[in-house]
């Protein structure tokens, strides 16, 4: 069984789980009185037993789903406007999920599952809202009241083997007595009962019982009463007799089909064995015809393997020589490059021109340096002359001062 809230796991397939939850959902909606308030007030038809479990019309189912959710949220004292047919489904679903989470309902599936308007997620959400609505209405289950009903007597016999001769005779006697009372006829049934009772217990009557009833009337009476004496057997799928009869039917069908298939399989086996024998004989003939060629082919394969080994060895030496050749060619190219550079340097007059230009620059610089040196020497000579003249002036002043003092 499913969880009471409708969201638990169910042992079995999820397909059956949706149908069980849908039936529980309808029961809860009926307890809430949705047929009067929702169906009549909002203009909807009553939901069938598998309305949200089976996809029929996604647009109609989604519109019914959003409206029943809105009605249930109003029953839970939540303000939720009635959705319209042309509203945005994403916005409507997000608002529904927000209101459901505010009631404490856990939603662990993507909102896109609700767009189809059917399925396990839709039934789960509506079932949870029904539980919340019942809680808000303070609904409680009452104890069941059992009605005392008189057990009806059943005149149906389940098996022909269990019907004894005593019961048949008693029923026959009762039917004949009733018909005799109606037609004011009389049948001596006591003797027949005594005779049957004696036969059942293995005793013999003292005298032979004789009947004064006409045989034709007896047959007519039996034909008239015979339809009333038919035994009706209830068909029970769990009865082992039905299974036994089915097993017998299946076994007879299998035996019949097995005979036909067995003959066909025997024919196939014979044909396959003949073809295998033909293939084996042809294979032997081909092997005998091609035995010499096969030996030649094997010898050539051996020679090819030897040549491949020699080729591998020689190819190893060739690779080494090619590597050495590549190194030598690289060195030769470098030497050629150096020789070309030297030849170009020997034939090129550019360096001489550059040397001459450098020498002329050096000469010009030497002249400029000589001029600078001469200027400096002249300035130095003038400085020395000025110093001498200054010393002579001081000496003359000192001498004049001494002479004046004397």
């Amino acid at each position: 069984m499913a969880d009471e809230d409708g969201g638990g796991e169910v042992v079995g397939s999820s397909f059956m789980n949706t149908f069980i939850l849908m039936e529980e959902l309808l029961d809860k909606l009926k307890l809430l009185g949705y047929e009067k308030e929702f169906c009549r007030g909002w203009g909807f038809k009553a939901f069938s037993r598998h309305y949200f479990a089976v996809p029929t019309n996604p647009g109609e189912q989604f519109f019914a789903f959003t409206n029943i959710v809105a009605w249930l949220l109003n029953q839970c004292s939540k303000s939720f406007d009635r959705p319209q047919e042309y509203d945005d489904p994403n916005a409507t679903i997000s608002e529904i999920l927000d209101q459901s989470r505010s009631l404490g309902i856990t939603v662990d599936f993507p909102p896109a599952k609700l767009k189809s308007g059917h399925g396990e997620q839709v039934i789960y959400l509506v079932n949870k809202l029904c539980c919340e609505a019942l809680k808000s209405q303070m609904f409680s289950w009452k104890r069941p009241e059992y009605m005392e009903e008189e057990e009806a007597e059943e005149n149906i016999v389940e098996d022909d083997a269990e019907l004894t001769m005593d019961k048949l005779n008693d029923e026959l006697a009762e039917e004949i007595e009733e018909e005799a009372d109606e037609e004011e006829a009389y049948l001596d049934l006591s003797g027949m009962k005594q005779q049957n009772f004696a036969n059942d217990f293995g005793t013999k009557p003292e005298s032979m019982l004789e009947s004064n009833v006409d045989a034709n009337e007896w047959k007519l009476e039996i034909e008239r009463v015979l339809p009333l004496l038919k035994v009706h057997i209830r068909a029970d799928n769990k009865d082992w007799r039905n299974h036994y009869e089915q097993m017998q039917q299946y076994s007879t069908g299998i035996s019949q089909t097995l005979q036909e298939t067995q003959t066909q399989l025997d024919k196939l086996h014979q044909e396959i064995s003949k073809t295998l024998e033909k293939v084996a004989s042809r294979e032997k003939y081909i092997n005998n015809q091609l035995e010499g060629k096969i030996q030649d082919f094997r010898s050539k394969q051996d020679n090819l393997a030897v040549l491949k080994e020699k080729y591998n060895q020689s190819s190893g030496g060739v690779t080494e020589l090619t590597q050495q050749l590549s190194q030598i060619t690289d060195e030769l190219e470098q030497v050629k490059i150096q020789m070309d550079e030297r030849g170009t340097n020997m034939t090129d007059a550019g360096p001489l021109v550059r040397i001459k230009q450098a020498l002329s620059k050096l000469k010009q610089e030497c002249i400029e340096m000589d001029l600078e040196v001469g200027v400096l020497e002249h300035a130095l000579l003038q400085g020395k002359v000025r110093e001498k003249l200054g010393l002579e002036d001081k000496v003359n002043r000192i001498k004049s001062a001494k002479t004046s003092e004397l």
Side-chain angles (χ1 to χ4, degrees):
M1 291 297 292
D3 198 6
E4 186 178 357
D5 295 337
E9 294 293 332
V10 179
V11 178
S13 64
S14 61
F15 182 75
M16 294 301 296
N17 188 14
T18 54
F19 286 95
I20 294 168
L21 292 176
M22 185 62 204
E23 291 180 357
E24 292 180 359
L25 172 61
L26 274 180
D27 294 336
K28 293 176 183 178
L29 288 173
K30 289 178 181 177
L31 291 174
L32 291 168
Y34 90 107
E35 293 176 348
K36 294 181 180 179
E37 298 181 7
F38 175 72
C39 295
R40 295 178 184 176
W42 292 34
F44 281 90
K45 294 181 180 179
F47 299 142
S48 61
R49 292 177 60 192
H50 310 304
Y51 184 75
F52 291 117
V54 178
T56 55
N57 189 356
E60 181 184 351
Q61 286 177 323
F62 180 74
F63 184 61
F65 161 67
T66 54
N67 278 268
I68 192 66
V69 167
W71 182 75
L72 289 171
L73 289 172
N74 292 327
Q75 295 294 320
C76 296
S77 66
K78 292 283 184 181
S79 62
F80 192 86
D81 296 332
R82 179 179 176 182
Q84 299 300 322
E85 190 173 0
Y86 298 102
D87 291 343
D88 186 11
N90 295 320
T92 305
I93 289 169
S94 64
E95 191 174 356
I96 287 169
L97 293 177
D98 292 337
Q99 293 290 338
S100 301
R101 291 190 183 96
S102 65
L103 291 171
I105 297 171
T106 57
V107 180
D108 55 355
F109 52 83
K113 294 287 186 181
L114 302 176
K115 280 188 179 180
S116 60
H118 68 273
E120 189 175 358
Q121 290 79 13
V122 172
I123 298 169
Y124 165 74
L125 185 60
V126 180
N127 207 340
K128 286 284 189 179
L129 290 172
C130 287
C131 294
E132 295 296 328
L134 290 171
K135 288 179 183 178
S136 65
Q137 293 183 2
M138 304 296 291
F139 178 80
S140 61
W141 295 98
K142 296 180 181 180
R143 291 186 178 181
E145 295 179 357
Y146 299 100
M147 300 294 293
E148 294 181 358
E149 296 179 357
E150 294 181 357
E151 295 181 356
E153 294 181 358
E154 296 180 354
N155 294 323
I156 298 171
V157 183
E158 295 182 354
D159 190 5
D160 292 338
E162 296 178 357
L163 189 65
T164 59
M165 290 299 294
D166 291 332
K167 292 181 181 180
L168 268 174
N169 290 326
D170 292 337
E171 290 176 359
L172 184 61
E174 289 176 0
E175 293 292 335
I176 292 169
E177 284 179 357
E178 289 177 359
E179 296 295 331
D181 292 335
E182 290 177 359
E183 297 178 1
E184 295 181 355
Y186 177 77
L187 292 174
D188 190 11
L189 299 174
S190 61
M192 186 171 65
K193 288 183 180 180
Q194 289 177 1
Q195 184 179 2
N196 291 328
F197 182 79
N199 289 329
D200 290 336
F201 288 91
T203 59
K204 295 182 179 180
E206 295 178 356
S207 62
M208 198 71 179
L209 296 174
E210 293 181 359
S211 178
N212 296 323
V213 180
D214 190 5
N216 294 323
E217 292 180 357
W218 179 260
K219 289 180 181 179
L220 291 171
E221 187 68 22
I222 289 172
E223 289 178 358
R224 192 175 63 80
V225 177
L226 186 62
L228 301 174
L229 299 177
K230 288 184 179 180
V231 178
H232 300 282
I233 300 172
R234 289 181 179 178
D236 189 5
N237 294 324
K238 296 181 179 179
D239 191 5
W240 64 271
R241 297 175 185 83
N242 295 329
H243 295 293
Y244 181 70
E245 290 177 357
Q246 290 179 358
M247 290 171 65
Q248 286 181 346
Q249 292 176 0
Y250 293 151
S251 64
T252 52
I254 289 166
S255 61
Q256 291 175 359
T257 55
L258 182 62
Q259 291 176 358
E260 295 176 357
T261 54
Q262 188 68 35
T263 54
Q264 293 178 359
L265 291 172
D266 291 335
K267 290 180 180 178
L268 286 173
H269 178 68
Q270 291 176 0
E271 291 177 357
I272 291 166
S273 61
K274 287 179 181 178
T275 52
L276 288 173
E277 288 177 356
K278 289 180 181 178
V279 169
S281 62
R282 289 179 181 177
E283 187 177 359
K284 289 179 181 178
Y285 175 75
I286 291 166
N287 290 328
N288 292 325
Q289 292 292 325
L290 300 176
E291 187 174 0
K293 293 182 179 180
I294 290 169
Q295 290 179 358
D296 294 335
F297 178 71
R298 288 176 182 174
S299 63
K300 288 179 180 179
Q301 278 187 340
D302 296 333
N303 295 326
L304 180 63
V306 173
L307 293 172
K308 281 183 178 179
E309 289 179 357
K310 291 180 179 179
Y311 173 75
N312 292 326
Q313 292 176 0
S314 60
S315 64
V318 169
T319 52
E320 291 178 357
L321 294 172
T322 51
Q323 289 177 359
Q324 292 177 3
L325 179 62
S326 63
Q327 292 177 358
I328 291 166
T329 51
D330 293 334
E331 292 176 356
L332 181 61
E333 287 177 357
Q334 290 178 1
V335 170
K336 283 181 179 180
I337 291 166
Q338 291 177 1
M339 292 294 290
D340 292 334
E341 289 179 355
R342 289 179 182 178
T344 53
N345 291 327
M346 289 175 69
T347 57
D348 191 9
L352 293 174
V353 174
R354 287 194 292 273
I355 290 167
K356 288 179 180 181
Q357 290 176 357
L359 289 173
S360 62
K361 286 181 180 180
L362 287 173
K363 287 179 180 180
Q364 187 68 29
E365 288 176 357
C366 289
I367 292 166
E368 291 176 356
M369 289 294 290
D370 290 336
L371 289 172
E372 289 179 358
V373 170
V375 171
L376 291 173
E377 286 179 354
H378 178 69
L380 183 61
L381 182 61
Q382 286 182 355
K384 288 181 179 180
V385 170
R386 289 173 184 174
E387 287 180 358
K388 286 181 180 181
L389 291 173
L391 289 173
E392 288 178 356
D393 290 336
K394 287 180 180 181
V395 170
N396 292 324
R397 289 175 183 174
I398 292 168
K399 287 181 178 181
S400 65
K402 287 181 178 182
T403 57
S404 62
E405 288 179 357
L406 294 174

